[in-house]
Amino acid sequence: MKERLKQSLREALQACYRQGILHSEEFPDLDLEVPAHADHGDFASNAAMLLARAEKKAPRQIAAAIVTALGDGGGLWSRLEVAGPGFINFFLSNRCWYGVLDEVVRRGADYGRSHLGAGRKVQVEFVSANPTGPLHIGHGRGAAIGDAVAAVLDAAGYQVQREYYINDAGNQVALLGRSIWMRLRELRGEAVVFPEDGYRGDYVREIARTLLAERGPQLAALPEEQAVASCSDYGISAMRAWIERDLQEFGVRFDNWYSERSLYQRHLVEKELAELKARGLTYEQDGALWLRTTSYGDDKDRVLIKADGSPTYFASDVAYHMEKFERGFETVIDVWGADHHGYIPRMKAMLAGLGHPPEDLQVLLIQMVNLLREGQPVAMGKRSGEFVTLRDVIDEVGKDACRFFFLMRRSDSQLDFDLELAKKQGTENPVYYVQYAHARVCSINRNAAEQEMSLPGLGEVDFDRLILDEELALAKLLFRYPETVTSAARLLEPHRITFYLQELAALFHSYYNRHRVLSEDLETSRARLYLVNAVRIVFQNALLLLGLSAPEQM
C-alpha cells in the first residue's frame, strides 16, 4: 500500500514537471510517515517541503499543486489535505484498508515475510554457555532472544545460521573433569578433598555415577591426570547432550555446534595470530603477545598470549570471529550476557584492524532475569547447585509462557518473570491472552461449520458490510504486521512482535466481546468471518515466528 502511495506521488511530481509547475526532474527520496494524530490522516508526505528550496516556492504552494495532480487515486484514498507548513496528508478509503484482508488471505503463512535482507548471509551465535553445568534462566532468556532474532531475520529475507560455540577448552573444562573425578572416587568409598572452586551441583554426582558404572575399572587403572582428562571429555559430552535436550524442549535448534577445542586442533589460533602479526597489529612486551586494540578505539591493548605461553580467551575469540567472516558471513550477531559489555570494544577493534567495518559485528546484551512468585523473589529447587535451571522453569510454566515472557522486554532491560502469573489462565497472563485470541477464532470457525457456513475465499466478501470502527482498526493493525517484522529484523528487537501480539489481542477481544461475528445476517456474518480469519492468520504467523504454538482450543 505504501509503495502504491509513493508511486502515485512520483507520478504526480512528474505531472507537475511536465506542466511547468516544477522545474527540476531531480525529485527527493519519497517517504511516508504515520502521523502522530489520527485526525492528520493515515500517512503524510513532506515532499513539498523537500522541494521548496530548489523550486524557490512556498511548500504549501507546491503541496497544493501535487494534491491537484494526485487526483482521486482511483479509490485508494477518500481525501487529501495540505496541512501545517506543507505536509500532504492521505486519508485512505475504507475499501483500501479492507484490501489488506485479501492480502493476508492470499499470502497466508507468508504474510509478514519480505525480501529486506536480499539473501545476505548472517550468523547468530547465542547461548554458548560453558558446558560445565545445566542452563540457567539467564541462558534461557538469551536462547529465546537469539532464536527469535534469527527467526525475524529469516522472515525478512536473510540467509541465517544459528550457531552454538562450545567452550570445551581451558581451565573450566579441566575443573569439571577434576570435580567429576573426585565425586567418582567418593562413590567408590574414598575420602577425598573436593576442590574448593569445584563444581558442586548434583549433576556432577549424576555424571560421576554413570561414568563409574560404565568405565570404573578402566579409569582406576589410569594415572590420575589421565583419569581427570577422561572425566573432562566424558563430562563435556554429557553436559552438551543435557544442554541439547533442554534447548530442544525449549524449541531452540542450532544449525552448527562449533567447538573451541577445534580451533586449536586445526591450528586456527596460530594461523590467525600470524595474520595479525603480519599486519603489524601485535607486539611483544613483558614476555606476552599483545594486540594493538587502542589503535582502533579500545581503552587499552589486550593480551593474546600470556608470558607463560598459554593463550588467553581473547586469542581464541579473535580466531573464532576471524574464521566466521572467512566462512562468508556478512554480518555476525553475538548474544552475550550483560556482564560482557566491556568485551565489545576489543572485538570491534580487532575487526577494524583487519579491515572489517566494526558494525559487521553486532552484539546483543542480555540483562538478568528476576524470578518472582506473586511479586516476591523466589528460589526454586536447585538441582543444579547454585542457580535456577531453565528446565525448572519450563517444567513449571511450560515452553510457550517461558519463551513469551523472555521476549516481553528489550534484551538490554531487566526482566521480572512471575511464575504464578505465567501459569494463570486469564486475561492478566499476556501469553494466555494472545493464544486465547487465536483459539477464539478457531472456535468461531467450528461454530460456522456447524451452521454449514464455509469460510469465504478471495473476492467472496462484501466489504461494505464492515462498518464498525473496530473492524477498520483491525484491518489497519493487520496492515502494520509486515512492517513490524521488518523493524524487528532491522533493529534486532524481537520484543516488537510480542508488543504487536498483545495490541492485536486486546483489539480483537474487545471486538469479540461487543459484537457477534455470526448472526442471522448472512452477508455480514461472512464479511466478519473473513475479517477474523485474517486476524487468525496473523496471530498464527506471529506466534510461530516467536517459536510459540497457536492452539485451536484452550
Side-chain angles (χ1 to χ4, degrees):
M1 187 187 297
K2 289 178 74 173
E3 285 306 313
R4 289 172 63 193
L5 291 173
K6 289 180 184 179
Q7 181 59 30
S8 295
L9 269 172
R10 284 189 286 267
E11 292 172 358
L13 290 172
Q14 289 164 0
C16 288
Y17 171 75
R18 289 193 301 269
Q19 296 166 19
I21 300 171
L22 299 178
H23 300 91
S24 173
E25 278 189 288
E26 299 299 321
F27 301 135
D29 290 334
L30 298 176
D31 198 10
L32 294 169
E33 296 182 354
V34 177
H37 301 287
D39 56 356
H40 293 168
D42 297 305
F43 295 100
S45 170
N46 64 347
M49 290 180 285
L50 295 176
L51 288 165
R53 176 173 293 183
E55 295 293 332
K56 296 181 173 57
K57 292 182 179 179
R60 286 186 64 90
Q61 181 183 356
I62 297 172
I66 294 173
V67 165
T68 299
L70 281 166
D72 63 8
L76 186 57
W77 50 80
S78 57
R79 66 187 177 94
L80 304 170
E81 70 175 20
V82 177
F87 286 104
I88 301 172
N89 292 342
F90 292 81
F91 295 79
L92 302 192
S93 67
N94 288 3
R95 182 165 291 276
C96 172
W97 281 118
Y98 288 130
V100 172
L101 307 185
D102 285 340
E103 180 71 3
V104 174
V105 171
R106 183 180 65 81
R107 295 196 64 193
D110 286 334
Y111 185 70
R113 301 186 69 86
S114 71
H115 301 289
L116 173 72
R120 292 192 294 275
K121 291 185 67 176
V122 177
Q123 186 205 67
V124 183
E125 182 225 320
F126 59 107
V127 185
S128 297
N130 290 340
T132 54
L135 299 177
H136 57 62
I137 58 171
H139 296 137
R141 190 180 186 194
I145 290 172
D147 194 46
V149 165
V152 296
L153 287 169
D154 176 77
Y158 292 87
Q159 185 180 341
V160 184
Q161 184 201 57
R162 294 165 166 87
E163 183 156 285
Y164 189 116
Y165 181 59
I166 311 167
N167 301 104
D168 54 2
N171 294 332
Q172 82 280 357
V173 173
L175 184 58
L176 175 66
R178 188 160 297 280
S179 301
I180 294 171
W181 173 241
M182 289 302 178
R183 292 304 188 206
L184 186 148
R185 290 175 60 190
E186 283 181 345
L187 290 169
R188 290 195 307 210
E190 298 181 39
V192 300
V193 178
F194 196 80
E196 185 176 342
D197 55 351
Y199 293 99
R200 298 178 180 274
D202 288 345
Y203 66 93
V204 175
R205 187 173 279 104
E206 291 179 29
I207 293 172
R209 184 176 290 108
T210 304
L211 182 56
L212 178 63
E214 291 181 8
R215 304 182 191 172
Q218 297 95 314
L219 288 172
L222 293 175
E224 182 165 354
E225 289 309 309
Q226 290 185 29
V228 168
S230 182
C231 288
S232 291
D233 291 342
Y234 187 89
I236 291 298
S237 178
M239 285 314 310
R240 174 178 166 176
W242 194 324
I243 289 169
E244 284 196 59
R245 285 195 300 271
D246 284 355
L247 288 172
Q248 185 175 24
E249 182 73 16
F250 197 44
V252 174
R253 63 170 182 82
F254 286 93
D255 303 304
N256 193 39
W257 293 74
Y258 194 105
S259 164
E260 179 187 3
R261 190 179 298 180
S262 73
L263 290 169
Y264 295 96
Q265 293 170 338
R266 293 181 290 152
H267 306 290
L268 289 180
V269 176
E270 297 173 32
K271 170 180 173 291
E272 303 298 2
L273 293 184
E275 172 68 16
L276 293 170
K277 184 176 181 179
R279 288 174 174 260
L281 299 174
T282 62
Y283 64 93
E284 293 188 14
Q285 181 178 301
D286 301 327
L289 182 68
W290 297 71
L291 184 64
R292 301 180 192 275
T293 53
T294 52
S295 299
Y296 301 94
D298 199 6
D299 61 346
K300 61 181 179 180
D301 292 340
R302 305 294 176 173
V303 175
L304 292 166
I305 304 295
K306 292 182 283 189
D308 64 6
S310 62
T312 62
Y313 286 120
F314 183 47
S316 56
D317 281 341
V318 167
Y320 175 47
H321 282 77
M322 290 170 70
E323 199 266 350
K324 287 185 181 191
F325 290 103
E326 290 170 7
R327 281 187 268 163
F329 295 110
E330 298 172 63
T331 301
V332 167
I333 300 166
D334 289 350
V335 180
W336 294 347
D339 56 336
H340 286 73
H341 67 92
Y343 212 76
I344 299 173
R346 72 187 71 174
M347 295 301 296
K348 288 184 173 286
M350 175 271 295
L351 286 179
L354 291 169
H356 279 288
E359 57 270 20
D360 286 354
L361 170 66
Q362 300 188 44
V363 179
L364 295 181
L365 296 176
I366 308 299
Q367 275 289 356
M368 65 179 294
V369 179
N370 301 315
L371 200 62
L372 310 173
R373 193 181 299 279
E374 295 185 340
Q376 299 300 313
V378 298
M380 293 171 56
K382 297 176 183 174
R383 175 184 59 184
S384 54
E386 299 180 356
F387 48 77
V388 179
T389 67
L390 174 61
R391 169 65 65 176
D392 289 331
V393 180
I394 295 173
D395 287 347
E396 178 161 356
V397 307
K399 180 203 74 163
D400 283 358
C402 196
R403 287 184 69 118
F404 195 93
F405 271 65
F406 282 146
L407 293 168
M408 282 176 59
R409 298 287 181 270
R410 285 175 55 98
S411 63
D412 58 359
S413 63
Q414 289 194 8
L415 174 70
D416 290 337
F417 191 133
D418 194 307
L419 294 164
E420 292 304 317
L421 176 60
K423 292 187 292 184
K424 287 183 178 179
Q425 296 190 358
T427 58
E428 66 270 42
N429 179 353
V431 64
Y432 180 88
Y433 193 57
V434 169
Q435 290 180 317
Y436 187 46
H438 180 271
R440 265 186 160 170
V441 181
C442 294
S443 176
I444 293 170
N445 288 342
R446 288 191 294 272
N447 290 338
E450 290 173 1
Q451 298 176 31
E452 298 184 348
M453 184 186 300
S454 60
L455 295 181
L458 284 169
E460 297 178 0
V461 166
D462 180 4
F463 290 142
D464 289 339
R465 297 285 181 159
L466 300 176
I467 59 174
L468 299 174
D469 290 343
E470 297 101 314
E471 292 165 342
L472 185 61
L474 281 168
K476 290 183 176 182
L477 191 50
L478 297 186
F479 168 79
R480 279 177 39 202
Y481 177 64
E483 191 166 2
T484 301
V485 177
T486 56
S487 295
R490 189 177 65 254
L491 300 172
L492 306 181
E493 294 182 346
H495 69 276
R496 290 171 175 265
I497 309 296
T498 58
F499 284 10
Y500 175 89
L501 278 168
Q502 291 176 87
E503 184 179 358
L504 182 60
L507 187 57
F508 170 77
H509 284 305
S510 175
Y511 172 66
Y512 177 89
N513 290 331
R514 294 180 61 187
H515 307 286
R516 292 178 60 190
V517 174
L518 304 179
S519 66
E520 293 76 14
D521 186 330
L522 178 60
E523 291 306 313
T524 299
S525 297
R526 287 172 56 79
R528 290 180 175 179
L529 192 59
Y530 194 72
L531 167 65
V532 298
N533 272 280
V535 171
R536 177 190 58 79
I537 290 170
V538 172
F539 271 127
Q540 179 171 288
N541 291 356
L543 285 165
L544 295 180
L545 187 63
L546 297 181
L548 280 68
S549 63
E552 296 187 3
Q553 289 182 297
M554 293 181 70

